[in-house]
Amino acid sequence: QLSDQQNMNESPLSWFRGVYLPPALHPLNKTLVKGGKWKDVDSAQEKRRSFLHDFCKKYNSRKKLRTHLVHLVSRIYVEDRHKVLYCEVPKAGCSNWKRVLMVLNGLATSARNISHDDVHYGKHLRKLDSYDLKGIYTRLNTYTKTIFVRDPMERLVSAFRDKFEHPNSYYHPVFGKAIIKKYRHNANEEALKTGSGVKFKEFIQYLLDSHRPVGMDIHWEQVSKLCYPCLINYDFIGKFETLEEDANYFLQLVGAPAELKFPKFKDRHSSDERTSAEVVRQYLKELSEEERQLTYDFYYLDYLMFNYTSP
């Protein structure tokens, strides 16, 4: 443990470098939980927490992770009233989570009335990297930190469907054009001009290419690189597969108003079938056996950390 004085003297860019992992696992404060209906959710939660902690201990026993504090916390949203830190994992309920944080923060009375654009482009919520070093350090050590994850292959297919199978003024011209140009032989002029119509196989070729024509994107980046679960000690690990009950239990833990429940609605493309294991199977059929294996390898750490079964 660094003394507070040492912490203040170090620059945010050097703090957290070369830390031995993982941090200690603290018991969850359950004093605000009312009623006995949360027993199973709580039991699942404790298993996830200890599983991740044991994994990090084993995986990082002889390894130092070198990273910058500011980068480390750049995906974490802050809700000061209820002392919550939420690390955003796209395609794992993040839009509705941001709505909930806005309600907790007093920025809205109901999650249902907040539009998609307001959630993602409204700049209503602060991220942890916008605070000074002391602010970051204090919140990391005293707030309840949560992360919500999803089966990696489901999350990947969900991201592809959302960004490439619907009109999109950013992903088609930026990612679509570059993907079609590099991976589609004899692409026609229309496809090269608009970047629309990317096939799943082409998207996977881009994902697995060490010389990608465009960079990575948070919608398909590994959770291990978005939220650093072996370096930041998340108090609560929710899963998309049990999203509602996990989220509502978490709201109890942090003392949220009794009437606030996690929204059930699908944020966009509400008429589309949800990306399920069966939907994923259909997409994976388009890939060769080698491509499927390499895609799994790409998300290998996420599968291990959060105890997901390999597909």
Side-chain angles (χ1 to χ4, degrees):
Q1 287 283 340
L2 296 170
S3 72
D4 282 350
Q5 189 53 48
Q6 279 176 301
N7 280 325
M8 292 305 96
N9 291 340
E10 291 221 30
S11 75
L13 294 179
S14 66
W15 195 62
F16 252 80
R17 266 191 191 166
V19 178
Y20 280 106
L21 311 173
L25 186 64
H26 301 296
L28 206 50
N29 180 358
K30 298 167 190 173
T31 51
L32 296 172
V33 176
K34 296 175 181 71
K37 67 172 185 173
W38 303 107
K39 199 175 152 192
D40 290 347
V41 188
D42 179 65
S43 167
Q45 189 53 226
E46 291 303 340
K47 282 178 188 154
R48 286 175 200 165
R49 279 160 42 88
S50 59
F51 184 90
L52 177 61
H53 186 261
D54 291 346
F55 166 79
C56 292
K57 208 154 76 176
K58 185 176 162 188
Y59 177 73
N60 292 302
S61 57
R62 293 183 193 84
K63 180 179 168 188
K64 276 189 172 189
L65 181 69
R66 297 195 165 275
T67 191
H68 296 321
L69 174 64
V70 172
H71 178 67
L72 194 80
V73 300
S74 63
R75 305 295 337 150
I76 296 179
Y77 284 88
V78 179
E79 198 285 289
D80 281 317
R81 282 187 176 187
H82 297 80
K83 300 192 170 181
V84 171
L85 296 182
Y86 163 70
C87 188
E88 177 188 26
V89 175
K91 311 313 298 174
C94 73
S95 299
N96 278 339
W97 257 118
K98 286 196 250 186
R99 287 185 173 93
V100 166
L101 293 179
M102 286 170 72
V103 174
L104 285 174
N105 219 357
L107 298 166
T109 51
S110 159
R112 187 157 282 283
N113 304 332
I114 309 168
S115 72
H116 177 86
D117 283 359
D118 231 14
V119 166
H120 291 284
Y121 311 115
K123 308 274 187 236
H124 301 293
L125 296 166
R126 278 187 80 172
K127 286 186 181 169
L128 193 50
D129 62 355
S130 70
Y131 293 82
D132 63 12
L133 180 60
K134 188 179 180 187
I136 294 173
Y137 181 71
T138 304
R139 285 169 179 79
L140 276 176
N141 281 284
T142 57
Y143 283 23
T144 306
K145 300 175 288 297
T146 185
I147 180 175
F148 272 70
V149 298
R150 185 177 186 176
D151 175 276
M153 222 60 98
E154 269 187 35
R155 189 177 152 241
L156 177 69
V157 171
S158 175
F160 172 77
R161 294 174 76 200
D162 180 23
K163 303 305 176 194
F164 296 102
E165 292 186 350
H166 293 274
N168 192 296
S169 59
Y170 172 71
Y171 285 90
H172 291 199
V174 175
F175 286 89
K177 279 161 82 168
I179 289 171
I180 289 169
K181 187 179 176 184
K182 182 159 186 184
Y183 307 107
R184 185 178 298 178
H185 304 300
N186 307 319
N188 64 39
E189 264 183 60
E190 181 66 13
L192 289 168
K193 196 170 87 179
T194 64
S196 297
V198 169
K199 296 179 173 69
F200 186 63
K201 189 180 177 77
E202 294 166 339
F203 172 64
I204 295 301
Q205 285 176 300
Y206 143 79
L207 185 79
L208 300 175
D209 187 350
S210 56
H211 302 289
R212 288 184 200 102
V214 271
M216 274 299 279
D217 182 85
I218 60 167
H219 290 85
W220 45 87
E221 180 67 276
Q222 300 102 318
V223 177
S224 53
K225 290 184 180 173
L226 287 172
C227 295
Y228 297 96
C230 278
L231 193 48
I232 293 172
N233 198 4
Y234 290 97
D235 302 291
F236 192 93
I237 301 152
K239 290 197 168 182
F240 186 79
E241 294 74 13
T242 49
L243 177 61
E244 246 179 273
E245 54 192 33
D246 287 350
N248 287 326
Y249 179 50
F250 179 78
L251 290 172
Q252 284 260 315
L253 284 169
V254 298
E259 66 277 8
L260 178 59
K261 298 286 182 281
F262 192 80
K264 291 182 181 183
F265 61 86
K266 195 172 187 281
D267 189 47
R268 288 198 307 167
H269 318 310
S270 52
S271 60
D272 287 7
E273 182 188 353
R274 273 204 187 272
T275 304
S276 62
E278 185 47 48
V279 169
V280 170
R281 261 194 289 278
Q282 299 307 315
Y283 280 82
L284 293 181
K285 281 180 184 173
E286 297 174 31
L287 309 180
S288 68
E289 198 175 325
E290 185 188 15
E291 284 167 331
R292 287 197 293 267
Q293 181 62 50
L294 290 170
T295 307
Y296 168 71
D297 294 344
F298 187 82
Y299 292 104
Y300 181 61
L301 267 187
D302 288 359
Y303 272 101
L304 287 186
M305 280 181 171
F306 302 108
N307 201 16
Y308 280 109
T309 310
S310 57

